[in-house]
Amino acid sequence: MAEIKVPELAESITEGTIAQWLKQVGDSVEKGEFIVELETDKVNVEVISEEAGVVQELLFAEGDTVEVGQVIAVVGEGSGSGDTTKNPVEADPAEADAPVKSVEQPKAEKVAPAPAAKEETSSTDRTIASPAARKLAREKGIDLNAVSTVDPMGRVRVQDVESHSNAPKQAPSAPAAAKATATPKEDDGRVTREKMSRRRQTIAKRLLEVKQSTAMLTTFNEIDMTNVMALRARKKDKFFEDHDVRLGFMSFFTKAVTSALKKYPYVNAELEGDEVLLKQFYDIGIAVSTEEGLVVPIVRDTDRKNFAEIEANIGELAKKARDKKLQISDMTGGSFTITNGGVFGSLMSTPILNGTQVGILGMHTIQKRPVAIGNEVQIRPMMYVALSYDHRVIDGKDSVGFLKTVKELIENPEDLLLES
């Protein structure tokens, strides 16, 4: 008998959500074979079985929140072809009112992690309940803490949820009734309710935390893209022929940022209590938009890589992000972030800091505008850039100087190539 537990994910991740069971009760599983996909704050993780055998029990349903170290499934000896045990997550609804079979009692004793008295004071996610009961409770919008059960171990089952659902409802108080009548009805088609994905909830939570816990300020500048666009046009075909990767603008900005970080080290720092951690490495996060939200994989050691290596890294990480193949190691440990809202047509924005970093550069769309060149007005391809920074660590002198350095290097790409 082997227990499948939620593995250690990352230092900052303590729980995840069951995204998809890849094996069901009665299925054979080989040692090292994937059994479940977990959705975490940052990436999806597939969990393997450490033993070969047959899946005997799934202790949580898809959508349930589970913690690191928690047992989520049981694999035992036997043959999958002869096992007719039903999966509690996919149990036949017609059996919801059937009496509990005695053979299920040992399972309840095995999975109970703590005395019932402790569970009564815990959150809904910690209440002892079968996966099918959790699933039904979510569908009916029922708080498992409010459900009474006759199980001596305190485990809530499908029958208990059904009984709670069919019990007479108490009349709402006047304020509650008034609130209900003031809320738009969802069943008239004008309002739909959609649960936020775990990743979107985490993104929302962390962005709010950054806004509330940092002294964030944004400074702006504009870059004349004429020279870098001309250089790229001249070199892109030969670049692709030599390196089998396309030359984009992101490698120029990554190298420019790296050079500016060397000149202004406090922009490449982190605040920890009353200490500033000055990072002696240059791991640049490149924000990538996916269907599930923004992710920020890291290009490592950008000071040691040439343009081709940076472009190749960015391409690989972007593909992994779109294919949901990013690993946690791809997204941890960055020292600075670049985000490009210009791919969506954004002309100007104020990017929000990424986690504990103290600086983030926002790129924007390239737009032709009239610009004074000497005593003449010329039409030039211009890009607004924004640096958001934590004013607790970085003063205006460094922030403006950093952004000015990036501007000068992009406007004079030959200098950037020489510095590289």
Side-chain angles (χ1 to χ4, degrees):
M1 191 77 69
E3 296 178 332
I4 307 299
K5 297 182 179 180
V6 179
E8 292 290 338
L9 300 169
E11 184 178 352
S12 60
I13 301 177
T14 59
E15 62 182 21
T17 300
I18 303 288
Q20 179 184 7
W21 283 108
L22 306 177
K23 294 288 185 179
Q24 302 298 328
V25 170
D27 289 350
S28 297
V29 60
E30 299 296 329
K31 182 177 180 179
E33 190 174 6
F34 295 123
I35 189 170
V36 63
E37 181 181 6
L38 296 178
E39 182 185 44
T40 72
D41 297 349
K42 296 181 178 179
V43 295
N44 284 20
V45 177
E46 291 176 321
V47 180
I48 64 171
S49 174
E50 297 291 347
E51 301 291 340
V54 175
V55 179
Q56 295 194 347
E57 193 172 9
L58 305 181
L59 303 179
F60 293 89
E62 292 179 359
D64 281 350
T65 298
V66 291
E67 297 180 348
V68 170
Q70 197 165 16
V71 179
I72 56 176
V74 177
V75 173
E77 298 178 356
S79 172
S81 58
D83 195 325
T84 59
T85 306
K86 287 187 179 293
N87 177 4
V89 176
E90 303 293 339
D92 188 343
E95 298 183 1
D97 295 323
V100 178
K101 296 181 180 179
S102 60
V103 295
E104 292 187 358
Q105 294 303 322
K107 296 180 182 179
E109 295 176 1
K110 175 177 59 183
V111 300
K118 182 177 181 180
E119 293 294 338
E120 289 176 0
T121 62
S122 62
S123 65
T124 300
D125 284 341
R126 305 284 76 81
T127 300
I128 307 174
S130 69
R134 289 181 180 276
K135 185 176 182 181
L136 183 62
R138 283 198 306 273
E139 292 172 352
K140 292 180 174 291
I142 294 174
D143 181 357
L144 285 174
N145 286 325
V147 177
S148 300
T149 177
V150 296
D151 190 296
M153 298 301 296
R155 191 182 197 198
V156 177
R157 299 183 178 276
V158 170
Q159 298 92 322
D160 302 318
V161 178
E162 289 285 4
S163 298
H164 182 87
S165 176
N166 296 329
K169 302 294 189 298
Q170 293 183 350
S173 62
K179 181 178 179 182
T181 58
T183 304
K185 293 183 178 179
E186 297 177 22
D187 56 4
D188 63 3
R190 294 185 298 169
V191 178
T192 58
R193 187 181 297 272
E194 180 179 295
K195 183 176 178 61
M196 295 172 68
S197 69
R198 180 177 186 82
R199 192 161 302 153
R200 176 51 61 184
Q201 292 179 53
T202 301
I203 290 172
K205 177 183 177 183
R206 290 188 173 174
L207 290 178
L208 186 61
E209 287 176 349
V210 169
K211 292 282 285 184
Q212 294 175 337
S213 63
T214 63
M216 196 174 73
L217 191 62
T218 304
T219 186
F220 300 90
N221 211 320
E222 61 177 356
I223 297 176
D224 185 344
M225 299 291 290
T226 300
N227 292 335
V228 74
M229 290 176 71
L231 177 62
R232 178 175 175 269
R234 292 196 309 269
K235 300 293 185 181
K236 64 179 182 179
D237 292 338
K238 185 67 165 57
F239 188 88
F240 184 77
E241 181 183 329
D242 292 344
H243 305 290
D244 196 29
V245 64
R246 299 190 183 281
L247 178 61
F249 293 122
M250 192 58 73
S251 55
F252 286 94
F253 276 90
T254 302
K255 294 300 288 186
V257 160
T258 303
S259 295
L261 289 174
K262 291 180 178 180
K263 189 174 181 180
Y264 297 95
Y266 280 90
V267 185
N268 196 46
E270 178 179 334
L271 187 61
E272 188 176 277
D274 59 355
E275 296 179 330
V276 177
L277 308 182
L278 296 172
K279 299 177 181 179
Q280 307 300 320
F281 57 88
Y282 304 92
D283 291 351
I284 308 300
I286 307 295
V288 178
S289 179
T290 69
E291 292 181 358
E292 297 180 347
L294 203 68
V295 293
V296 187
I298 312 297
V299 179
R300 308 286 177 184
D301 299 319
T302 56
D303 57 323
R304 303 177 186 176
K305 292 178 177 174
N306 59 33
F307 281 69
E309 291 171 324
I310 290 174
E311 289 288 358
N313 282 176
I314 292 173
E316 292 166 3
L317 292 169
K319 185 178 186 303
K320 289 174 71 174
R322 290 190 293 268
D323 295 342
K324 301 180 181 180
K325 299 297 183 182
L326 282 174
Q327 303 296 314
I328 292 176
S329 58
D330 293 324
M331 305 174 64
T332 54
S335 60
F336 187 88
T337 296
I338 302 175
T339 181
N340 185 7
V343 296
F344 304 110
S346 171
L347 184 62
M348 186 178 289
S349 68
T350 56
I352 297 179
L353 295 172
N354 180 22
T356 58
Q357 296 172 16
V358 297
I360 180 172
L361 178 75
M363 299 166 55
H364 300 92
T365 193
I366 300 172
Q367 187 178 67
K368 290 185 176 180
R369 298 198 298 272
V371 179
I373 306 296
N375 294 324
E376 297 180 352
V377 175
Q378 297 182 13
I379 304 299
R380 294 292 184 97
M382 305 297 292
M383 175 193 287
Y384 287 119
V385 287
L387 174 71
S388 291
Y389 60 97
D390 192 338
H391 210 344
R392 297 176 301 169
V393 178
I394 304 168
D395 289 328
K397 179 182 177 181
D398 279 2
S399 62
V400 172
F402 174 91
L403 204 55
K404 188 171 181 286
T405 299
V406 172
K407 168 185 169 67
E408 291 171 347
L409 289 171
I410 296 296
E411 290 184 341
N412 299 279
E414 289 82 4
D415 294 344
L416 185 58
L417 291 172
L418 289 174
E419 288 203 14
S420 301

